[in-house]
Amino acid sequence: MTDFRIVVVNAGVSDPSSTRLLADRATQRVASLAAERGHDVAVQTIDLREVLPELPAALSSQLLGPKFQAAVGALAQADTIVAATPVYKAGASGLFTSFFQVLDNDLLIGKPVILAATAGTARHALVVDEELRALFAYLRTLPVPTGLFASTEDWNDKALGERIDRAAFEAGLLMESGFATAVKDESWRRYQHEYGSAGGTELSIDLGTDLMRLAQGGTLKPRDQNR
């Protein structure tokens, strides 16, 4: 029986892809460390280039095609996420950011995330902490303290391997803690949810309030009108 599920979101579009390579190295290290601690781990990779044909409809109308729905389902079941993007013009790829902008704001609450990015030059190194960390904070995930960035010259530097080890260890501890499950089971209602997110099951709505009566086309009670 699988103890944990790791889902990789890879925005690299080339083949082979340095972005996919970085994501795979981080994922393998998380899985290896978890195995050393007695856990079975399943890994699933979402290559966003395969979802790309369905992205325009998702952005414009929130209609999700079958591959997009499968990706959402995988992320909903994930215990840890590895999110990796190439950097273009000092920012994460449009494919990467558009994918996460389409997702329901409640989908990833409390999930540990390893943030990873690749670029041709070290000048883009701050994208992980300045852009990606902000995006995933908005989605209320738990980005691990150690971000991963690899430029062309980093691949032969042992420091990259050390950062991967550190990020994987941090993700593993968060995954083992069961924080995301505890949040959903014990304090879900303490979060501010959008109406209808997560199927509406996270909200208790009193249809008898003045506001809800007006929203349904009703009128205020006479005693309310005289206030």
Side-chain angles (χ1 to χ4, degrees), residues 28-219:
Q28 290 164 7
R29 194 67 185 122
V30 176
S32 176
L33 290 172
E36 291 174 8
R37 297 166 71 91
H39 303 294
D40 292 327
V41 177
V43 176
Q44 180 175 349
T45 299
I46 301 169
D47 285 314
L48 294 187
R49 63 181 180 177
E50 297 180 0
V51 181
L52 180 57
E54 298 176 358
L55 187 57
L59 286 169
S60 62
S61 62
Q62 292 292 307
L63 294 177
L64 306 185
K67 291 184 178 179
F68 218 116
Q69 291 180 14
V72 170
L75 288 170
Q77 298 300 315
D79 296 294
T80 290
I81 299 166
V82 178
T85 179
V87 175
Y88 302 115
K89 298 182 179 179
S93 76
L95 175 58
F96 181 88
T97 55
S98 296
F99 174 78
F100 282 101
Q101 286 167 356
V102 169
L103 300 183
D104 190 296
N105 288 343
D106 291 347
L107 182 65
L108 306 180
I109 291 178
K111 294 181 185 289
V113 182
I114 294 179
L115 304 176
T118 60
T121 172
R123 290 185 300 166
H124 298 300
L126 291 178
V127 167
V128 172
D129 287 325
E130 290 192 344
E131 182 177 340
L132 300 190
R133 201 168 292 277
L135 170 62
F136 284 87
Y138 180 83
L139 293 172
R140 293 169 290 183
T141 66
L142 289 180
V144 302
T146 302
L148 300 179
F149 176 82
S151 61
T152 303
E153 60 267 25
D154 288 324
W155 293 102
N156 294 321
D157 188 342
K158 68 176 183 179
L160 176 60
E162 293 171 352
R163 292 198 303 273
I164 290 173
D165 285 347
R166 192 165 67 240
F169 182 71
E170 293 162 354
L173 290 181
L174 288 171
M175 184 169 65
E176 285 182 343
S177 75
F179 178 83
T181 300
V183 164
K184 198 160 189 176
D185 290 345
E186 299 179 25
S187 64
W188 191 250
R189 295 180 185 275
R190 299 184 184 183
Y191 284 81
Q192 181 178 357
H193 304 279
E194 290 185 353
Y195 178 73
S197 62
T201 58
E202 75 290 346
L203 294 173
S204 294
I205 301 173
D206 183 359
L207 297 179
T209 65
D210 295 342
L211 180 61
M212 291 307 296
R213 285 199 300 273
L214 288 172
Q216 297 175 85
T219 60

Side-chain angles (χ1 to χ4, degrees), residues 9-15 17-20 47-49 84-86 88 93 95:
V9 180
N10 165 46
V13 294
S14 59
D15 190 13
S17 165
S18 60
T19 303
R20 174 66 186 268
D47 285 314
L48 294 187
R49 63 181 180 177
T85 179
Y88 302 115
S93 76
L95 175 58

